[in-house]
Amino acid sequence: DGGITQSPKYLFRKEGQNVTLSCEQNLNHDAMYWYRQDPGQGLRLIYYSQIVNDFQKGDIAEGYSVSREKKESFPLTVTSAQKNPTAFYLCASSAGRGAVTQYFGPGTRLTVL
Amino acid sequence: AQSVTQPDIHITVSEGASLELRCNYSYGATPYLFWYVQSPGQGLQLLLKYFSGDTLVQGIKGFEAEFKRSQSSFNLRKPSVHWSDAAEYFCAVAHFWGDSSYKLIFGSGTRLLVRP
C-alpha cells in the first residue's frame, strides 16, 4: 500500500536536547511538507521541499531544521532553540510542482519533559 | 491576507441528524478548497476538494460541500451523521506561493460530537 509513515508515534525529549522525527513516503511524490499542530489551532507550515536537496522555510521555521537527501525521506529535527516544542507534528506530501492536494501521515506527538 | 475561518469550535448532533460545518475563506483569486477529517491522535484524511466546475462536490463517507463564491463559503454537509463521524474537521485553502508551489492555509477546526 502506498502511503506516508511517520516514526515514532510518541516521542519524549528532555529540555536542551535535539530530536529527529522521521517521515517516509512511497507515493513517488516530489514534494514533502512538515506541519505543527497545537490544541485548538489549525496546522502551521514549518518547512517544505519541492525536490531532493532543496527545501524552503515555512511560516514557523525557527528552531527546526530539515534535510532532503532522498525523494522518499524528509526528516525534521527539533532543536534546543525551539522554545515550545511540545506539539503534534504532521508530515505531508504532494505530487510535485503545480500539485495542490496534500496527503498526510499519521503524525508524531512530541512531549518535552 | 489569505485566511480560513471555521466559526464553530464544537458542534454536537444526534446520530442520524443532518450536519453542516461552516467554512469561510479570504482569498483574492479563485480558491482551491479542501476539507480534511482528523480522528484523535491521527493524521488528516482528505474528505473532498474543490478546484473548479460544479460548485457542489461529493466526497468520501457520504460528505458533500458547496462552494459559494458570493458568500466566500465552502460548507461541509452530511444528511445523516453516524457515530463514527465524531472527529475534528479542518477546512483549508491552497495559497499559491510562487515557483509553482502551494501551501495550505488551515482553519482552526471544528470538533464534531455525536450524541447516541
Side-chain angles (χ1 to χ4, degrees):
Chain A
D1 281 344
I4 302 173
T5 57
Q6 292 185 241
S7 60
K9 187 170 178 63
Y10 300 97
L11 189 55
F12 298 90
R13 186 194 96 174
K14 293 182 180 179
E15 281 194 24
Q17 286 182 337
N18 292 354
V19 64
T20 298
L21 283 59
S22 169
C23 177
E24 305 274 334
Q25 54 96 3
N26 61 2
L27 300 167
N28 199 33
H29 283 173
D30 287 319
M32 298 185 74
Y33 310 79
W34 274 106
Y35 290 88
R36 171 183 172 134
Q37 184 179 23
D38 295 284
Q41 299 187 32
L43 281 67
R44 293 180 290 168
L45 183 64
I46 305 172
Y47 267 98
Y48 72 102
S49 168
Q50 292 286 350
I51 56 172
V52 173
N53 292 323
D54 184 60
F55 48 83
Q56 305 295 330
K57 292 182 180 180
D59 299 316
I60 56 165
E62 185 175 351
Y64 300 97
S65 66
V66 294
S67 62
R68 186 87 187 275
E69 297 177 1
K70 298 187 299 181
K71 184 175 182 177
E72 311 80 49
S73 178
F74 191 40
L76 173 75
T77 297
V78 184
T79 75
S80 56
Q82 169 50 234
K83 300 262 185 280
N84 184 19
T86 295
F88 192 52
Y89 290 88
L90 288 154
C91 178
S93 70
S94 67
R97 291 190 190 279
V100 185
T101 305
Q102 294 181 21
Y103 300 92
F104 286 80
T108 292
R109 182 164 301 281
L110 172 63
T111 303
V112 174
L113 303 173
Chain B
Q2 292 79 13
S3 64
V4 175
T5 302
Q6 294 180 246
D8 304 305
I9 297 174
H10 296 102
I11 281 188
T12 301
V13 300
S14 297
E15 191 168 15
S18 63
L19 170 70
E20 182 169 29
L21 302 182
R22 295 184 290 165
C23 172
N24 292 98
Y25 66 89
S26 171
Y27 193 70
T30 300
Y32 295 160
L33 294 159
F34 303 83
W35 275 100
Y36 287 88
V37 61
Q38 183 181 37
S39 297
Q42 302 298 317
L44 273 66
Q45 182 182 21
L46 179 66
L47 282 177
L48 48 79
K49 59 188 178 184
Y50 171 79
F51 287 178
S52 64
D54 193 344
T55 56
L56 185 64
V57 293
Q58 303 297 322
I60 62 170
K61 304 186 179 187
F63 286 92
E64 66 178 27
E66 185 170 13
F67 170 61
K68 292 186 177 180
R69 184 187 299 276
S70 62
Q71 298 178 19
S72 296
S73 70
F74 188 55
N75 294 349
L76 183 70
R77 301 195 294 245
K78 187 169 184 178
S80 177
V81 169
H82 188 262
W83 64 267
S84 60
D85 293 324
E88 189 147 25
Y89 292 79
F90 291 94
C91 181
V93 65
H95 170 61
F96 182 65
W97 213 1
D99 192 24
S100 301
S101 300
Y102 290 88
K103 70 170 183 176
L104 294 182
I105 299 171
F106 286 87
S108 54
T110 297
R111 183 168 297 281
L112 173 65
L113 304 174
V114 180
R115 220 185 280 122

